[in-house]
PDB file of all heavy atoms in Angstrom:
ATOM      1  N   VAL A 316       9.459   7.658  -5.477  1.00  0.00           N
ATOM      2  CA  VAL A 316      10.237   8.825  -5.901  1.00  0.00           C
ATOM      3  C   VAL A 316       9.685   9.373  -7.214  1.00  0.00           C
ATOM      4  O   VAL A 316       9.553  10.589  -7.391  1.00  0.00           O
ATOM      5  CB  VAL A 316      11.731   8.461  -6.039  1.00  0.00           C
ATOM      6  CG1 VAL A 316      12.498   9.630  -6.666  1.00  0.00           C
ATOM      7  CG2 VAL A 316      12.326   8.117  -4.677  1.00  0.00           C
ATOM      8  N   GLN A 317       9.356   8.460  -8.128  1.00  0.00           N
ATOM      9  CA  GLN A 317       8.780   8.891  -9.399  1.00  0.00           C
ATOM     10  C   GLN A 317       7.463   9.618  -9.181  1.00  0.00           C
ATOM     11  O   GLN A 317       7.149  10.581  -9.893  1.00  0.00           O
ATOM     12  CB  GLN A 317       8.586   7.670 -10.299  1.00  0.00           C
ATOM     13  CG  GLN A 317       8.188   7.980 -11.728  1.00  0.00           C
ATOM     14  CD  GLN A 317       6.720   8.325 -11.897  1.00  0.00           C
ATOM     15  OE1 GLN A 317       6.370   9.205 -12.688  1.00  0.00           O
ATOM     16  NE2 GLN A 317       5.850   7.666 -11.142  1.00  0.00           N
ATOM     17  N   ASN A 318       6.673   9.173  -8.192  1.00  0.00           N
ATOM     18  CA  ASN A 318       5.403   9.839  -7.871  1.00  0.00           C
ATOM     19  C   ASN A 318       5.613  11.299  -7.494  1.00  0.00           C
ATOM     20  O   ASN A 318       4.828  12.172  -7.869  1.00  0.00           O
ATOM     21  CB  ASN A 318       4.700   9.115  -6.718  1.00  0.00           C
ATOM     22  CG  ASN A 318       3.985   7.856  -7.170  1.00  0.00           C
ATOM     23  OD1 ASN A 318       3.815   7.616  -8.358  1.00  0.00           O
ATOM     24  ND2 ASN A 318       3.576   7.043  -6.209  1.00  0.00           N
ATOM     25  N   ASP A 319       6.671  11.565  -6.721  1.00  0.00           N
ATOM     26  CA  ASP A 319       6.953  12.939  -6.316  1.00  0.00           C
ATOM     27  C   ASP A 319       7.263  13.820  -7.518  1.00  0.00           C
ATOM     28  O   ASP A 319       6.878  14.993  -7.567  1.00  0.00           O
ATOM     29  CB  ASP A 319       8.123  12.969  -5.324  1.00  0.00           C
ATOM     30  CG  ASP A 319       7.650  13.184  -3.894  1.00  0.00           C
ATOM     31  OD1 ASP A 319       6.539  12.724  -3.579  1.00  0.00           O
ATOM     32  OD2 ASP A 319       8.385  13.803  -3.092  1.00  0.00           O
ATOM     33  N   VAL A 320       7.995  13.259  -8.487  1.00  0.00           N
ATOM     34  CA  VAL A 320       8.323  14.017  -9.692  1.00  0.00           C
ATOM     35  C   VAL A 320       7.052  14.293 -10.505  1.00  0.00           C
ATOM     36  O   VAL A 320       6.815  15.419 -10.951  1.00  0.00           O
ATOM     37  CB  VAL A 320       9.344  13.261 -10.562  1.00  0.00           C
ATOM     38  CG1 VAL A 320       9.634  14.048 -11.846  1.00  0.00           C
ATOM     39  CG2 VAL A 320      10.640  13.025  -9.797  1.00  0.00           C
ATOM     40  N   ALA A 321       6.233  13.266 -10.681  1.00  0.00           N
ATOM     41  CA  ALA A 321       5.011  13.408 -11.472  1.00  0.00           C
ATOM     42  C   ALA A 321       4.028  14.388 -10.844  1.00  0.00           C
ATOM     43  O   ALA A 321       3.292  15.085 -11.544  1.00  0.00           O
ATOM     44  CB  ALA A 321       4.351  12.039 -11.648  1.00  0.00           C
ATOM     45  N   ASP A 322       4.020  14.441  -9.498  1.00  0.00           N
ATOM     46  CA  ASP A 322       3.062  15.294  -8.779  1.00  0.00           C
ATOM     47  C   ASP A 322       3.660  16.642  -8.361  1.00  0.00           C
ATOM     48  O   ASP A 322       3.074  17.343  -7.538  1.00  0.00           O
ATOM     49  CB  ASP A 322       2.557  14.577  -7.523  1.00  0.00           C
ATOM     50  CG  ASP A 322       1.581  13.459  -7.861  1.00  0.00           C
ATOM     51  OD1 ASP A 322       1.068  13.441  -8.986  1.00  0.00           O
ATOM     52  OD2 ASP A 322       1.350  12.601  -6.991  1.00  0.00           O
ATOM     53  N   LEU A 323       4.793  16.997  -8.942  1.00  0.00           N
ATOM     54  CA  LEU A 323       5.478  18.236  -8.530  1.00  0.00           C
ATOM     55  C   LEU A 323       4.569  19.465  -8.660  1.00  0.00           C
ATOM     56  O   LEU A 323       4.540  20.318  -7.765  1.00  0.00           O
ATOM     57  CB  LEU A 323       6.746  18.441  -9.367  1.00  0.00           C
ATOM     58  CG  LEU A 323       7.556  19.717  -9.077  1.00  0.00           C
ATOM     59  CD1 LEU A 323       7.940  19.795  -7.600  1.00  0.00           C
ATOM     60  CD2 LEU A 323       8.802  19.777  -9.963  1.00  0.00           C
ATOM     61  N   LYS A 324       3.819  19.537  -9.740  1.00  0.00           N
ATOM     62  CA  LYS A 324       2.965  20.707  -9.957  1.00  0.00           C
ATOM     63  C   LYS A 324       1.885  20.817  -8.888  1.00  0.00           C
ATOM     64  O   LYS A 324       1.693  21.887  -8.285  1.00  0.00           O
ATOM     65  CB  LYS A 324       2.317  20.634 -11.344  1.00  0.00           C
ATOM     66  CG  LYS A 324       1.427  21.843 -11.655  1.00  0.00           C
ATOM     67  CD  LYS A 324       0.814  21.739 -13.046  1.00  0.00           C
ATOM     68  CE  LYS A 324      -0.102  22.929 -13.315  1.00  0.00           C
ATOM     69  NZ  LYS A 324      -0.723  22.851 -14.677  1.00  0.00           N
ATOM     70  N   THR A 325       1.171  19.719  -8.653  1.00  0.00           N
ATOM     71  CA  THR A 325       0.091  19.763  -7.659  1.00  0.00           C
ATOM     72  C   THR A 325       0.638  19.901  -6.240  1.00  0.00           C
ATOM     73  O   THR A 325       0.044  20.579  -5.405  1.00  0.00           O
ATOM     74  CB  THR A 325      -0.803  18.502  -7.758  1.00  0.00           C
ATOM     75  OG1 THR A 325      -1.858  18.613  -6.815  1.00  0.00           O
ATOM     76  CG2 THR A 325      -0.032  17.231  -7.473  1.00  0.00           C
ATOM     77  N   ASP A 326       1.807  19.291  -5.965  1.00  0.00           N
ATOM     78  CA  ASP A 326       2.407  19.402  -4.628  1.00  0.00           C
ATOM     79  C   ASP A 326       2.862  20.823  -4.326  1.00  0.00           C
ATOM     80  O   ASP A 326       2.792  21.288  -3.183  1.00  0.00           O
ATOM     81  CB  ASP A 326       3.606  18.447  -4.492  1.00  0.00           C
ATOM     82  CG  ASP A 326       3.176  16.984  -4.435  1.00  0.00           C
ATOM     83  OD1 ASP A 326       1.972  16.727  -4.264  1.00  0.00           O
ATOM     84  OD2 ASP A 326       4.055  16.105  -4.550  1.00  0.00           O
ATOM     85  N   SER A 327       3.325  21.535  -5.346  1.00  0.00           N
ATOM     86  CA  SER A 327       3.814  22.905  -5.140  1.00  0.00           C
ATOM     87  C   SER A 327       2.679  23.864  -4.793  1.00  0.00           C
ATOM     88  O   SER A 327       2.909  24.934  -4.233  1.00  0.00           O
ATOM     89  CB  SER A 327       4.539  23.392  -6.397  1.00  0.00           C
ATOM     90  OG  SER A 327       3.654  23.448  -7.497  1.00  0.00           O
ATOM     91  N   GLU A 328       1.440  23.469  -5.112  1.00  0.00           N
ATOM     92  CA  GLU A 328       0.284  24.321  -4.827  1.00  0.00           C
ATOM     93  C   GLU A 328      -0.543  23.782  -3.659  1.00  0.00           C
ATOM     94  O   GLU A 328      -1.624  24.297  -3.384  1.00  0.00           O
ATOM     95  CB  GLU A 328      -0.596  24.422  -6.082  1.00  0.00           C
ATOM     96  CG  GLU A 328       0.120  25.064  -7.268  1.00  0.00           C
ATOM     97  CD  GLU A 328      -0.734  25.038  -8.527  1.00  0.00           C
ATOM     98  OE1 GLU A 328      -1.839  24.464  -8.470  1.00  0.00           O
ATOM     99  OE2 GLU A 328      -0.298  25.587  -9.549  1.00  0.00           O
ATOM    100  N   ASN A 329      -0.029  22.758  -2.991  1.00  0.00           N
ATOM    101  CA  ASN A 329      -0.766  22.109  -1.909  1.00  0.00           C
ATOM    102  C   ASN A 329      -0.213  22.541  -0.553  1.00  0.00           C
ATOM    103  O   ASN A 329       0.914  22.198  -0.201  1.00  0.00           O
ATOM    104  CB  ASN A 329      -0.647  20.587  -2.052  1.00  0.00           C
ATOM    105  CG  ASN A 329      -1.587  19.842  -1.111  1.00  0.00           C
ATOM    106  OD1 ASN A 329      -2.105  20.419  -0.165  1.00  0.00           O
ATOM    107  ND2 ASN A 329      -1.779  18.578  -1.364  1.00  0.00           N
ATOM    108  N   PRO A 330      -0.987  23.299   0.241  1.00  0.00           N
ATOM    109  CA  PRO A 330      -0.519  23.777   1.537  1.00  0.00           C
ATOM    110  C   PRO A 330      -0.591  22.729   2.647  1.00  0.00           C
ATOM    111  O   PRO A 330      -0.079  22.939   3.740  1.00  0.00           O
ATOM    112  CB  PRO A 330      -1.472  24.934   1.841  1.00  0.00           C
ATOM    113  CG  PRO A 330      -2.755  24.504   1.191  1.00  0.00           C
ATOM    114  CD  PRO A 330      -2.344  23.787  -0.069  1.00  0.00           C
ATOM    115  N   SER A 331      -1.222  21.586   2.395  1.00  0.00           N
ATOM    116  CA  SER A 331      -1.413  20.567   3.425  1.00  0.00           C
ATOM    117  C   SER A 331      -0.089  20.023   3.931  1.00  0.00           C
ATOM    118  O   SER A 331       0.836  19.779   3.160  1.00  0.00           O
ATOM    119  CB  SER A 331      -2.261  19.415   2.874  1.00  0.00           C
ATOM    120  OG  SER A 331      -2.322  18.352   3.798  1.00  0.00           O
ATOM    121  N   LYS A 332       0.003  19.828   5.235  1.00  0.00           N
ATOM    122  CA  LYS A 332       1.225  19.303   5.849  1.00  0.00           C
ATOM    123  C   LYS A 332       1.258  17.786   5.868  1.00  0.00           C
ATOM    124  O   LYS A 332       2.319  17.186   5.990  1.00  0.00           O
ATOM    125  CB  LYS A 332       1.342  19.818   7.301  1.00  0.00           C
ATOM    126  CG  LYS A 332       1.449  21.327   7.425  1.00  0.00           C
ATOM    127  CD  LYS A 332       2.726  21.852   6.814  1.00  0.00           C
ATOM    128  CE  LYS A 332       2.850  23.362   7.037  1.00  0.00           C
ATOM    129  NZ  LYS A 332       4.076  23.909   6.420  1.00  0.00           N
ATOM    130  N   PHE A 333       0.078  17.139   5.781  1.00  0.00           N
ATOM    131  CA  PHE A 333       0.070  15.686   5.875  1.00  0.00           C
ATOM    132  C   PHE A 333      -0.257  14.999   4.548  1.00  0.00           C
ATOM    133  O   PHE A 333      -0.344  13.787   4.460  1.00  0.00           O
ATOM    134  CB  PHE A 333      -0.909  15.210   6.970  1.00  0.00           C
ATOM    135  CG  PHE A 333      -2.344  15.589   6.749  1.00  0.00           C
ATOM    136  CD1 PHE A 333      -3.210  14.738   6.085  1.00  0.00           C
ATOM    137  CD2 PHE A 333      -2.839  16.797   7.221  1.00  0.00           C
ATOM    138  CE1 PHE A 333      -4.538  15.069   5.888  1.00  0.00           C
ATOM    139  CE2 PHE A 333      -4.176  17.135   7.034  1.00  0.00           C
ATOM    140  CZ  PHE A 333      -5.020  16.279   6.371  1.00  0.00           C
ATOM    141  N   THR A 334      -0.460  15.783   3.485  1.00  0.00           N
ATOM    142  CA  THR A 334      -0.598  15.233   2.135  1.00  0.00           C
ATOM    143  C   THR A 334       0.284  16.068   1.217  1.00  0.00           C
ATOM    144  O   THR A 334       0.921  17.027   1.636  1.00  0.00           O
ATOM    145  CB  THR A 334      -2.053  15.281   1.648  1.00  0.00           C
ATOM    146  OG1 THR A 334      -2.503  16.642   1.626  1.00  0.00           O
ATOM    147  CG2 THR A 334      -2.962  14.461   2.552  1.00  0.00           C
ATOM    148  N   GLY A 335       0.314  15.690  -0.060  1.00  0.00           N
ATOM    149  CA  GLY A 335       1.061  16.497  -1.016  1.00  0.00           C
ATOM    150  C   GLY A 335       2.513  16.114  -1.161  1.00  0.00           C
ATOM    151  O   GLY A 335       3.369  16.963  -1.429  1.00  0.00           O
ATOM    152  N   GLY A 336       2.836  14.820  -1.004  1.00  0.00           N
ATOM    153  CA  GLY A 336       4.197  14.360  -1.244  1.00  0.00           C
ATOM    154  C   GLY A 336       5.177  14.753  -0.164  1.00  0.00           C
ATOM    155  O   GLY A 336       4.819  15.302   0.876  1.00  0.00           O
ATOM    156  N   SER A 337       6.446  14.500  -0.445  1.00  0.00           N
ATOM    157  CA  SER A 337       7.502  14.758   0.544  1.00  0.00           C
ATOM    158  C   SER A 337       7.877  16.231   0.629  1.00  0.00           C
ATOM    159  O   SER A 337       8.510  16.662   1.592  1.00  0.00           O
ATOM    160  CB  SER A 337       8.757  13.949   0.178  1.00  0.00           C
ATOM    161  OG  SER A 337       9.330  14.439  -1.033  1.00  0.00           O
ATOM    162  N   LYS A 338       7.544  17.005  -0.407  1.00  0.00           N
ATOM    163  CA  LYS A 338       7.864  18.437  -0.523  1.00  0.00           C
ATOM    164  C   LYS A 338       9.359  18.703  -0.743  1.00  0.00           C
ATOM    165  O   LYS A 338       9.792  19.849  -0.772  1.00  0.00           O
ATOM    166  CB  LYS A 338       7.402  19.196   0.736  1.00  0.00           C
ATOM    167  CG  LYS A 338       5.893  19.179   0.976  1.00  0.00           C
ATOM    168  CD  LYS A 338       5.119  19.911  -0.083  1.00  0.00           C
ATOM    169  CE  LYS A 338       3.714  20.316   0.361  1.00  0.00           C
ATOM    170  NZ  LYS A 338       2.838  19.236   0.749  1.00  0.00           N
ATOM    171  N   VAL A 339      10.148  17.641  -0.913  1.00  0.00           N
ATOM    172  CA  VAL A 339      11.589  17.801  -1.140  1.00  0.00           C
ATOM    173  C   VAL A 339      11.859  18.490  -2.473  1.00  0.00           C
ATOM    174  O   VAL A 339      12.701  19.387  -2.565  1.00  0.00           O
ATOM    175  CB  VAL A 339      12.300  16.432  -1.094  1.00  0.00           C
ATOM    176  CG1 VAL A 339      13.745  16.555  -1.584  1.00  0.00           C
ATOM    177  CG2 VAL A 339      12.288  15.879   0.321  1.00  0.00           C
ATOM    178  N   LEU A 340      11.135  18.085  -3.509  1.00  0.00           N
ATOM    179  CA  LEU A 340      11.310  18.712  -4.825  1.00  0.00           C
ATOM    180  C   LEU A 340      10.750  20.126  -4.829  1.00  0.00           C
ATOM    181  O   LEU A 340      11.324  21.027  -5.451  1.00  0.00           O
ATOM    182  CB  LEU A 340      10.611  17.876  -5.900  1.00  0.00           C
ATOM    183  CG  LEU A 340      11.075  16.431  -6.061  1.00  0.00           C
ATOM    184  CD1 LEU A 340      10.328  15.757  -7.203  1.00  0.00           C
ATOM    185  CD2 LEU A 340      12.567  16.359  -6.292  1.00  0.00           C
ATOM    186  N   VAL A 341       9.651  20.320  -4.121  1.00  0.00           N
ATOM    187  CA  VAL A 341       9.036  21.654  -4.024  1.00  0.00           C
ATOM    188  C   VAL A 341      10.001  22.636  -3.374  1.00  0.00           C
ATOM    189  O   VAL A 341      10.108  23.797  -3.798  1.00  0.00           O
ATOM    190  CB  VAL A 341       7.722  21.586  -3.209  1.00  0.00           C
ATOM    191  CG1 VAL A 341       7.150  22.988  -2.995  1.00  0.00           C
ATOM    192  CG2 VAL A 341       6.696  20.712  -3.916  1.00  0.00           C
ATOM    193  N   GLU A 342      10.724  22.176  -2.369  1.00  0.00           N
ATOM    194  CA  GLU A 342      11.677  23.028  -1.650  1.00  0.00           C
ATOM    195  C   GLU A 342      13.016  23.151  -2.374  1.00  0.00           C
ATOM    196  O   GLU A 342      13.882  23.903  -1.940  1.00  0.00           O
ATOM    197  CB  GLU A 342      11.905  22.463  -0.242  1.00  0.00           C
ATOM    198  CG  GLU A 342      10.645  22.486   0.628  1.00  0.00           C
ATOM    199  CD  GLU A 342      10.816  21.713   1.923  1.00  0.00           C
ATOM    200  OE1 GLU A 342      11.981  21.391   2.277  1.00  0.00           O
ATOM    201  OE2 GLU A 342       9.808  21.417   2.576  1.00  0.00           O
ATOM    202  N   GLY A 343      13.190  22.433  -3.464  1.00  0.00           N
ATOM    203  CA  GLY A 343      14.416  22.523  -4.251  1.00  0.00           C
ATOM    204  C   GLY A 343      15.618  21.818  -3.635  1.00  0.00           C
ATOM    205  O   GLY A 343      16.758  22.081  -4.033  1.00  0.00           O
ATOM    206  N   LEU A 344      15.382  20.931  -2.677  1.00  0.00           N
ATOM    207  CA  LEU A 344      16.482  20.227  -2.020  1.00  0.00           C
ATOM    208  C   LEU A 344      17.088  19.162  -2.931  1.00  0.00           C
ATOM    209  O   LEU A 344      18.276  18.846  -2.842  1.00  0.00           O
ATOM    210  CB  LEU A 344      15.995  19.576  -0.718  1.00  0.00           C
ATOM    211  CG  LEU A 344      15.391  20.540   0.319  1.00  0.00           C
ATOM    212  CD1 LEU A 344      14.884  19.777   1.535  1.00  0.00           C
ATOM    213  CD2 LEU A 344      16.437  21.575   0.730  1.00  0.00           C
ATOM    214  N   ILE A 345      16.275  18.593  -3.793  1.00  0.00           N
ATOM    215  CA  ILE A 345      16.723  17.651  -4.811  1.00  0.00           C
ATOM    216  C   ILE A 345      16.013  18.026  -6.102  1.00  0.00           C
ATOM    217  O   ILE A 345      14.817  18.338  -6.104  1.00  0.00           O
ATOM    218  CB  ILE A 345      16.381  16.192  -4.420  1.00  0.00           C
ATOM    219  CG1 ILE A 345      17.256  15.739  -3.246  1.00  0.00           C
ATOM    220  CG2 ILE A 345      16.578  15.247  -5.602  1.00  0.00           C
ATOM    221  CD1 ILE A 345      16.983  14.317  -2.782  1.00  0.00           C
TER     222      ILE A 345
END
Side-chain angles (χ1 to χ4, degrees):
V316 172
Q317 189 282 142
N318 281 348
D319 256 32
V320 178
D322 286 343
L323 179 56
K324 181 179 178 180
T325 182
D326 289 348
S327 63
E328 298 175 357
N329 190 344
S331 173
K332 298 295 184 181
F333 61 92
T334 60
S337 67
K338 297 294 200 300
V339 169
L340 301 182
V341 175
E342 296 170 14
L344 302 177
I345 290 180

